[in-house]
Amino acid sequence: GDCSRDQAHYLGVQPVGTNTVFCFEKPFSSELLQILNQLNLLGHNTRFDIHAMNLQPEKPWADTMVLQYRNNTAGRKSLDVLAKRFDWEKIPTPKELKGPKGKQNQISTVPRDQVALYMADDILFTSWLWEKVYTKPQKDAAVRAGDLAVERTVQRMEARGVRLLLEP
């Protein structure tokens, strides 16, 4: 079922440990979702993609945004900020994706070829971050397994709803 209020018009992911990048445009087929559920995915804010697509991953994923948060809870976490920090010349974010709340993330208005280049650049930089900055093999597997357990719990809560106890 589609329990998430979030929507993804495009998805760009890379299976961990590969040099292969996948970019998909909505609508996402059930066959694609089944395949994605079998992979160790790498991305920046992968949790959003998993949530927005209502995936049920069977393997832990790698999320460089979560890792950046763990390194510095007060720091900014966007790929644009991280690219500047590491002197990476990123393709600029399309203006339709910036702006005040309610006026941003208008990705459906961005030409397809511009979205593809922007996504490919994001995935390339995310892969570089993962390999050069964040990979700590001895700790990473346990952390990612914990992320997977938390995500499954959140998805179950959204699917069935939550009960608020108003009385103290």
Side-chain angles (χ1 to χ4, degrees):
D2 190 18
C3 67
S4 176
R5 68 173 175 79
D6 299 314
Q7 296 294 312
H9 292 277
Y10 295 93
L11 172 68
V13 294
Q14 178 178 11
V16 173
T18 72
N19 291 323
T20 305
V21 171
F22 296 100
C23 295
F24 305 102
E25 184 177 11
K26 194 175 186 176
F28 307 111
S29 71
S30 60
E31 293 83 8
L32 170 63
L33 299 180
Q34 288 173 354
I35 291 168
L36 292 174
N37 280 329
Q38 303 296 314
L39 299 174
N40 291 96
L41 300 175
L42 168 63
H44 191 78
N45 201 6
T46 309
R47 184 180 189 280
F48 173 85
D49 295 327
I50 288 169
H51 188 75
M53 297 178 67
N54 202 27
L55 291 174
Q56 301 292 322
E58 295 178 19
K59 297 179 181 180
W61 65 88
D63 190 334
T64 54
M65 180 179 270
V66 169
L67 295 171
Q68 175 62 17
Y69 178 80
R70 286 192 184 109
N71 285 345
N72 181 358
T73 57
R76 299 196 54 204
K77 292 142 196 72
S78 78
L79 281 178
D80 291 343
V81 168
L82 293 172
K84 279 184 189 174
R85 184 171 133 202
F86 292 107
D87 294 324
W88 184 278
E89 289 193 39
K90 244 179 96 3
I91 292 175
T93 302
K95 67 182 182 333
E96 295 87 350
L97 303 183
K98 294 181 173 185
K101 192 162 184 98
K103 299 285 185 190
Q104 60 194 17
N105 295 329
Q106 305 295 318
I107 198 162
S108 60
T109 65
V110 180
R112 213 185 213 169
D113 60 337
Q114 191 178 350
V115 170
L117 286 173
Y118 175 69
M119 285 179 63
D121 186 54
D122 274 4
I123 296 166
L124 182 63
F125 179 60
T126 299
S127 179
W128 181 86
L129 276 175
W130 171 252
E131 290 186 20
K132 304 294 185 202
V133 179
Y134 295 120
T135 302
K136 296 175 186 144
Q138 65 280 12
K139 278 178 41 179
D140 184 61
V143 170
R144 290 192 300 145
D147 289 342
L148 179 60
V150 168
E151 181 59 29
R152 286 183 176 153
T153 301
V154 169
Q155 285 180 327
R156 282 193 311 269
M157 289 170 61
E158 285 190 335
R160 73 157 195 265
V162 295
R163 182 176 163 208
L164 297 177
L165 303 174
L166 301 176
E167 297 296 320

